[in-house]
Amino acid sequence: MEAGEEPLLLAELKPGRPHQFDWKSSCETWSVAFSPDGSWFAWSQGHCIVKLIPWPLEEQFIPKGFEAKSRSSKNETKGRGSPKEKTLDCGQIVWGLAFSPWPSPPSKKLWARHHPQVPDVSCLILATGLNDGQIKIWEVQTGLLLLNLSGHQDVVRDLSFTPSGSLILVSASRDKTLRIWDLNKHGKQIQVLSGHLQWVYCCSISPDCSMLCSAAGEKSVFLWSMRSYTLIRKLEGHQSSVVSCDFSPDSALLVTASYDTNVIMWDPYTGERLRSLHHTQLNPPMDDSDVHISSLRSVCFSPEGLYLATVADDRLLRIWALELKTPIAYAPMTNGLCCTFFPHGGVIATGTRDGHVQFWTAPRVLSSLKHLCRKALRSFLTTYQVLALPIPKKMKEFLTYRTF
Amino acid sequence: GHPWCRGCGGEALIYVKLISSDGHEFIVKREHVLTSETIKTMLSGPGHFAENKTNEVNFREIPSHVLSKVCMYFTYKIQYTNSSKEIPEFPIAPEIPLELLMAVNFLDC
């Protein structure tokens, strides 16, 4: 797909027969996630069930006649030893999901007993944030429950693992706190972060693992240090609850999405607002009745750092290019709640209120060498370090993403 | 004539020579180097005859360890543009991105 073409629906997953307890309010897909290596997809399909699905998807999920270009021809991995779908019954509503690589499977002996050839799959764990404040940690290859983390007093809405694989987990809860857990020490709770006055909706750790962003049912966005677990600064700018946040792959940018219909892009090192992305309606309303329907639900960066995807209440998935003020593409989606990019690009997954998950084509772009250099540099240089370099002003502007 | 090009005397040359500041010569397909807007402009100077130096570019400010990376990018770009294959990461070792960026800024690619 070229930039500017509308996202195409690649596949849709719908839950099977509903669970016995058919509560209207428990069928949502609050979160979707791909594992960092792109080999698994976690689908929180409502009614307390999470399905772990190997990626790429099997034939049955792809609509007939569709050439799923993003699927690589890995047919040789199907059959004996190939990973199969896993069902995790979490026992209560699942809100947050996060994957992490896991150094070596604790149940390796158990695995070897049932599968003579230990499959060549990466070791992964999935953390699930539940309704009553518990966090369950599962081993992806086997679907076994590894750990139960207790501490939160209310819904664990979002989870984030350190991208380095150091097994530090951050959780965000309706109990207004964030908590830090060390999975190297059997899930010991090492810190409680207080400060938010309302339900915390989201948390995100920067790819360089130095910063943590959290946002809640209030206007201020919090930025914490992942080294000292203390508050660095509050980011002011939104006019309503902030529900989603994400860092760029080089940690140089932070985006936050709010019910105020805006996404704000920030420099997390200086706290400066770089731009606002306004979610205006495609067709202007005839009367005032549609005024509030562009509330944002989710925002995420593409893996090469050149695009954003947003899900809003006005039934649109929007794709934005980093340097432009208006979206480059739209796709209709009803009741959207969350979105995430496939880690190697090309696909966006979205989740909805009725437990459905959709996969869309995303712009596949080859980064310019200029952007690749910027990404490489910003992965270890802060904004202040860039400004101190002996380079021309225009180069500094480019490196600090101020060339809009 | 040049042993490394097909036809000298008016036909389009397939390869061009990029020369780094420290004298390394990189022989690259013309199609690849056109990724750089700057090189494209430099090569489309008057005349395409072998006698003119439009098949050779001297980069007095770009050292070989940087120029070699630029050539690798040209290959990467040609290989994965308009391809349905998954695009792999283009690796850049931490020692060179700043120097590379300076060169790339000049080359516009």
Side-chain angles (χ1 to χ4, degrees):
Chain A
M1 177 196 164
E2 296 288 316
E5 278 180 24
E6 307 312 319
L8 297 174
L9 185 62
L10 276 170
E12 184 161 5
L13 305 179
K14 299 182 186 184
R17 263 185 327 121
H19 195 266
Q20 241 182 326
F21 300 114
D22 198 23
W23 300 327
K24 202 96 178 87
S25 68
S26 73
C27 58
E28 296 91 346
T29 293
W30 291 109
S31 293
V32 284
F34 282 101
S35 61
D37 64 358
S39 61
W40 289 89
F41 177 74
W43 172 23
S44 167
Q45 59 171 217
H47 301 294
C48 317
I49 302 287
V50 172
K51 277 241 154 86
L52 287 170
I53 301 174
W55 188 272
L57 297 180
E58 296 194 7
E59 307 278 342
Q60 46 167 308
F61 293 126
I62 312 290
K64 283 192 172 44
F66 193 102
E67 275 285 336
K69 286 184 186 166
S70 61
R71 278 191 314 152
S72 48
S73 53
K74 284 192 186 158
N75 286 314
E76 59 273 13
T77 65
K78 306 250 188 297
R80 180 180 291 235
S82 74
K84 295 244 170 13
E85 199 179 290
K86 296 277 176 298
T87 299
L88 308 176
D89 188 345
C90 301
Q92 33 168 325
I93 297 174
V94 179
W95 294 83
L97 288 177
F99 277 100
S100 176
W102 185 246
S104 63
S107 63
K108 200 165 184 175
K109 283 184 189 163
L110 179 67
W111 178 261
R113 209 180 298 151
H114 294 285
H115 301 262
Q117 288 171 299
V118 178
D120 181 27
V121 290
S122 51
C123 299
L124 290 167
I125 53 171
L126 179 75
T128 52
L130 307 179
N131 211 55
D132 69 356
Q134 274 186 86
I135 299 167
K136 289 191 171 161
I137 311 286
W138 308 82
E139 184 182 61
V140 170
Q141 275 69 32
T142 56
L144 292 176
L145 179 62
L146 295 177
L147 287 169
N148 233 313
L149 310 179
S150 304
H152 278 299
Q153 308 295 309
D154 203 339
V155 167
V156 176
R157 180 65 185 87
D158 201 9
L159 293 162
S160 188
F161 270 106
T162 44
S164 59
S166 61
L167 296 177
I168 302 295
L169 173 67
V170 176
S171 55
S173 168
R174 278 190 189 176
D175 69 6
K176 306 173 195 169
T177 68
L178 292 122
R179 288 173 200 238
I180 319 280
W181 314 83
D182 189 346
L183 266 64
N184 296 294
K185 298 175 181 163
H186 301 286
K188 182 181 173 197
Q189 182 186 287
I190 56 179
Q191 190 81 16
V192 177
L193 304 180
S194 306
H196 281 298
L197 302 173
Q198 306 295 340
W199 294 352
V200 189
Y201 286 123
C202 58
C203 59
S204 185
I205 303 177
S206 62
D208 66 358
C209 304
S210 67
M211 299 177 279
L212 168 69
C213 176
S214 66
E218 59 206 28
K219 301 175 188 176
S220 311
V221 172
F222 286 22
L223 214 50
W224 312 80
S225 160
M226 278 298 284
R227 302 198 172 113
S228 58
Y229 300 130
T230 54
L231 187 69
I232 299 174
R233 64 169 52 83
K234 294 187 189 182
L235 302 174
E236 309 290 349
H238 280 298
Q239 302 303 308
S240 184
S241 299
V242 186
V243 298
S244 179
C245 57
D246 197 23
F247 281 91
S248 62
D250 57 5
S251 309
L253 299 172
L254 171 68
V255 286
T256 54
S258 165
Y259 284 162
D260 70 3
T261 79
N262 290 318
V263 162
I264 298 182
M265 188 181 294
W266 315 80
D267 179 325
Y269 294 101
T270 63
E272 283 167 78
R273 275 166 65 172
L274 298 178
R275 58 183 345 186
S276 284
L277 304 180
H278 305 296
H279 287 65
T280 50
Q281 294 162 246
L282 276 183
N283 305 305
M286 299 294 242
D287 53 35
D288 287 334
S289 63
D290 295 337
V291 141
H292 295 292
I293 64 170
S294 294
S295 290
L296 267 296
R297 291 281 164 186
S298 187
V299 64
C300 57
F301 260 100
S302 62
E304 79 297 312
L306 292 170
Y307 296 98
L308 291 173
T310 61
V311 171
D313 276 353
D314 63 355
R315 299 189 292 276
L316 287 173
L317 167 70
R318 290 170 171 80
I319 312 287
W320 305 75
L322 206 60
E323 322 245 310
L324 301 176
K325 291 187 180 177
T326 52
I328 60 167
Y330 303 81
M333 74 165 298
T334 44
N335 298 321
L337 290 176
C338 51
C339 62
T340 189
F341 275 84
F342 175 64
H344 305 310
V347 174
I348 297 173
T350 54
T352 71
R353 263 184 206 284
D354 30 27
H356 296 190
V357 154
Q358 294 126 345
F359 298 100
W360 307 84
T361 54
R364 273 176 81 255
V365 66
L366 209 109
S367 306
S368 65
L369 188 50
K370 207 170 170 191
H371 175 67
L372 289 170
C373 289
R374 171 170 60 184
K375 197 157 83 123
L377 279 165
R378 292 309 311 272
S379 297
F380 63 90
L381 289 180
T382 67
T383 301
Y384 293 114
Q385 286 170 325
V386 168
L387 296 174
L389 290 172
I391 55 178
K393 182 166 169 241
K394 277 210 152 163
M395 189 72 67
K396 291 184 189 182
E397 280 170 15
F398 173 74
L399 283 174
T400 56
Y401 291 92
R402 267 115 172 119
T403 52
F404 294 126
Chain B
H2 303 91
W4 43 271
C5 70
R6 197 184 288 170
C8 298
E11 293 156 296
L13 299 171
I14 295 176
Y15 289 94
V16 297
K17 192 189 275 186
L18 306 179
I19 306 167
S20 68
S21 59
D22 48 337
H24 283 246
E25 298 181 344
F26 297 87
I27 295 169
V28 187
K29 276 193 178 169
R30 190 184 190 90
E31 180 203 3
H32 287 212
V33 310
L34 296 180
T35 302
S36 155
E37 289 297 324
T38 307
I39 299 180
K40 192 172 173 184
T41 309
M42 284 168 143
L43 289 175
S44 62
H48 300 283
F49 300 108
E51 290 76 27
N52 290 10
K53 294 240 158 52
T54 52
N55 55 319
E56 242 179 56
V57 187
N58 256 292
F59 292 107
R60 298 209 177 81
E61 308 206 341
I62 304 179
S64 55
H65 67 277
V66 171
L67 193 53
S68 60
K69 201 67 185 179
V70 172
C71 292
M72 283 184 220
Y73 176 77
F74 291 155
T75 306
Y76 169 81
K77 172 139 189 207
I78 295 289
Q79 191 178 355
Y80 293 105
T81 300
N82 296 326
S83 146
S84 58
K85 286 181 277 179
E86 214 169 76
I87 302 175
E89 283 227 28
F90 182 78
I92 299 181
E95 306 82 51
I96 66 165
L98 193 54
E99 275 186 281
L100 189 54
L101 181 59
M102 298 309 210
V104 164
N105 196 46
F106 170 71
L107 293 171
D108 191 12
C109 62

